[in-house]
Amino acid sequence: MIFGFIIAIRLTIGCKKEDDTQNYDNDRIIYITESIKVDNSITIHDPNLNLVAYEKFLKYLISSNRFLIVPQKDFDKTFSDDKVVLSLRHDVDDDINASIKMAYIEHKYGIVSTYFILHTAKYYGITKANYFKRNDKIIYYLEKLQNSFGHEIGIHNDLVTLQVIYHIEPKSFLSNQLKWLRDNGINVYGTSAHGSNYCYLFHYSNTYFWKSSPYEGSSFTNFEFIQTNTSFFPVQLTFEDADTWNKNNSIDKVKIENQGMPNPVENVNKHPANNIKIIKDDKENYGLVYDANFLKDNYYFSDATIYPGGKRWHMGVQNFNEIPIGQKVIILIHPQHWN
């Protein structure tokens, strides 16, 4: 009798523990592992960019029955005669926890999106001049995104920055990181370009690492070479103190400061000693099949768009019911703005 009573207690305790874990996972704690947890509570700092507003938007997408939602890897090959084809792209610049919270909400509504992981972000590792050390615990977050929530993982390309700012050879770096990710069961099919502060300061796009990437024009005029010592930049900067400058400046500030600056292309061949030739390669050499920056969409919305007064684009700005059936839409979201 005593032995049976002990067994009954153990079974009861075991069931209670499992129920508690499930409850927390669906409420205020998301378990990455038994020891790594993400606080799933919501604090609203902005009336438009917050997780409550985001969940409301997802409910609208599902309830309207006029959207076919696909991950980025399926976007170019998906068409519909009776739906709007829509893809949610997340560029995870800073806040991996915010990404987990967004992914959790999407999974709750059966939505599959794509999360591009930034290899120069602090959550991924430590990147300094001639030095990189990966945070191997990031794999648990990626497993949660992919295996538990069903989302696609991509690589957020900061490879030109890696070369010219951190002096790290980008080809072997990318090969090593993709091998590590894939060896750990993370499927990576695509890439998106990170628009770092350095891109706006030195007028290059990280898509220029790819040989097939078209010249973007606009302020990103350094397609083949990057100049390190020119008179037309508003801030005179050496690459040795670039990290210090980056910590004290925002992309929005750089965009404003660079307005009206002369075209760097006019000076690209005047001082060859100051030019750094961008290393380039083909996506196919890394098993990558698409660049998210050049998917074929009819409508493109992004919270990177800044309106006068410093207000970011958000879903409330658009009337998505006005988008015609059969059209293709990409929405770019940076999770840290919504947490």
Side-chain angles (χ1 to χ4, degrees):
M1 290 293 293
I2 294 176
F3 180 73
F5 181 69
I6 293 173
I7 291 177
I9 290 175
R10 286 180 176 174
L11 288 174
T12 301
I13 292 173
C15 291
K16 184 65 166 64
K17 182 178 181 181
E18 182 179 349
D19 290 344
D20 284 346
T21 300
Q22 185 65 29
N23 177 61
Y24 281 114
D25 199 41
N26 283 322
D27 188 11
R28 55 190 177 86
I29 294 177
I30 300 173
Y31 281 84
I32 306 301
T33 67
E34 289 185 1
S35 59
I36 302 175
K37 308 169 188 177
V38 173
D39 182 355
N40 199 28
S41 61
I42 296 175
T43 302
I44 297 178
H45 298 287
D46 185 286
N48 299 308
L49 285 86
N50 60 74
L51 293 177
V52 173
Y54 186 64
E55 182 167 2
K56 182 179 179 181
F57 175 70
L58 297 184
K59 287 181 181 179
Y60 155 73
L61 292 180
I62 298 302
S63 63
S64 68
N65 198 36
R66 69 189 310 269
F67 298 98
L68 175 60
I69 305 172
V70 299
Q72 295 272 277
K73 66 182 179 66
D74 296 329
F75 187 77
D76 267 359
K77 58 187 178 184
T78 302
F79 300 90
S80 178
D81 294 328
D82 61 354
K83 304 277 187 183
V84 174
V85 178
L86 183 144
S87 186
L88 296 170
R89 164 186 161 185
H90 301 277
D91 286 359
V92 188
D93 290 352
D94 298 313
D95 193 343
I96 191 67
N97 287 347
S99 304
I100 293 292
K101 294 164 77 168
M102 276 193 149
Y104 170 86
I105 298 172
E106 290 163 350
H107 176 65
K108 185 164 67 172
Y109 293 99
I111 292 172
V112 176
S113 64
T114 302
Y115 287 81
F116 291 99
I117 305 304
L118 180 60
H119 55 82
T120 51
K122 290 182 179 179
Y123 64 76
Y124 192 87
I126 301 171
T127 308
K128 299 179 181 179
N130 303 298
Y131 176 85
F132 171 77
K133 180 176 176 56
R134 184 179 56 234
N135 170 23
D136 285 350
K137 289 184 178 180
I138 189 62
I139 200 66
Y140 300 126
Y141 291 84
L142 304 186
E143 288 173 343
K144 192 71 176 180
L145 288 168
Q146 176 185 276
N147 301 339
S148 297
F149 296 150
H151 299 301
E152 179 193 2
I153 303 296
I155 194 78
H156 201 21
N157 159 23
D158 202 14
L159 295 166
V160 179
T161 304
L162 199 72
Q163 175 197 349
V164 300
I165 298 295
Y166 298 108
H167 311 295
I168 296 174
E169 198 283 308
K171 291 184 179 181
S172 59
F173 175 90
L174 181 59
S175 293
N176 291 336
Q177 296 314 305
L178 287 175
K179 183 179 186 305
W180 180 76
L181 290 169
R182 289 164 176 162
D183 285 351
N184 281 278
I186 303 301
N187 304 312
V188 182
Y189 304 103
T191 178
S192 71
H194 177 51
S196 75
N197 289 348
Y198 304 120
C199 294
Y200 294 93
L201 183 66
F202 294 109
H203 300 268
Y204 67 87
S205 168
N206 276 299
T207 63
Y208 296 165
F209 175 77
W210 306 117
K211 290 180 180 178
S212 60
S213 174
Y215 166 64
E216 286 192 335
S218 184
S219 62
F220 293 151
T221 47
N222 289 334
F223 181 70
E224 296 285 347
F225 296 90
I226 296 175
Q227 295 179 277
T228 64
N229 184 17
T230 55
S231 60
F232 53 80
F233 288 119
V235 180
Q236 286 300 301
L237 178 72
T238 64
F239 283 87
E240 286 72 22
D241 62 8
D243 277 336
T244 301
W245 182 90
N246 187 39
K247 292 175 183 177
N248 296 321
N249 292 272
S250 68
I251 289 177
D252 301 336
K253 180 181 178 182
V254 177
K255 287 180 181 178
I256 293 171
E257 286 179 340
N258 276 279
Q259 288 178 359
M261 290 297 108
N263 191 330
V265 168
E266 299 173 359
N267 297 284
V268 76
N269 294 316
K270 290 184 178 180
H271 305 284
N274 295 328
N275 294 342
I276 295 177
K277 184 174 177 60
I278 297 175
I279 294 173
K280 296 176 179 281
D281 207 349
D282 295 312
K283 293 189 294 295
E284 294 74 15
N285 292 336
Y286 305 89
L288 298 171
V289 297
Y290 73 89
D291 183 341
N293 292 78
F294 301 104
L295 295 176
K296 298 178 179 64
D297 58 74
N298 303 112
Y299 294 83
Y300 177 83
F301 306 115
S302 171
D303 64 3
T305 302
I306 308 296
Y307 295 125
K311 297 294 184 181
R312 291 185 178 274
W313 178 92
H314 54 86
M315 283 74 176
V317 174
Q318 309 306 142
N319 183 352
F320 285 85
N321 287 326
E322 294 181 349
I323 298 175
I325 296 297
Q327 298 295 285
K328 303 182 73 173
V329 179
I330 291 175
I331 301 177
L332 170 58
I333 297 164
H334 296 79
Q336 67 266 23
H337 300 322
W338 297 78
N339 188 18

